[in-house]
Amino acid sequence: GANLSRASLLDVNLTGADLTGANLAGADLTGANLGGADLSGAKLAGVRLNRVNLTGANLSRASLLDVNLTGAD
């Protein structure tokens, strides 16, 4: 998967994106749209997901250690 660790992806539109196995550790996805995205097996440790749309996203086998989901859908 893609290496997006520590990336600043504020308000990005990743609707339906294939992020299978991606490394997003420490990334800031505040306000992002991840509706229908495939995040299966993704590394999401320490990711900021404040106000993120996760409707229909696949998070199976994703690592969600220390994730901030304040206001996420």
Side-chain angles (χ1 to χ4, degrees), residues 8-67:
S8 179
L9 300 168
L10 304 175
D11 299 313
V12 69
N13 184 356
L14 294 170
T15 303
D18 183 358
L19 295 168
T20 304
N23 180 1
L24 291 157
D28 188 350
L29 288 157
T30 299
N33 186 350
L34 294 167
D38 188 352
L39 292 155
S40 57
K43 295 172 183 74
L44 301 170
V47 174
R48 290 187 201 120
L49 294 173
N50 305 50
R51 299 181 286 106
V52 169
N53 175 15
L54 291 165
T55 304
N58 180 359
L59 294 166
S60 62
R61 300 179 319 280
S63 170
L64 297 166
L65 183 66
D66 295 323
V67 173

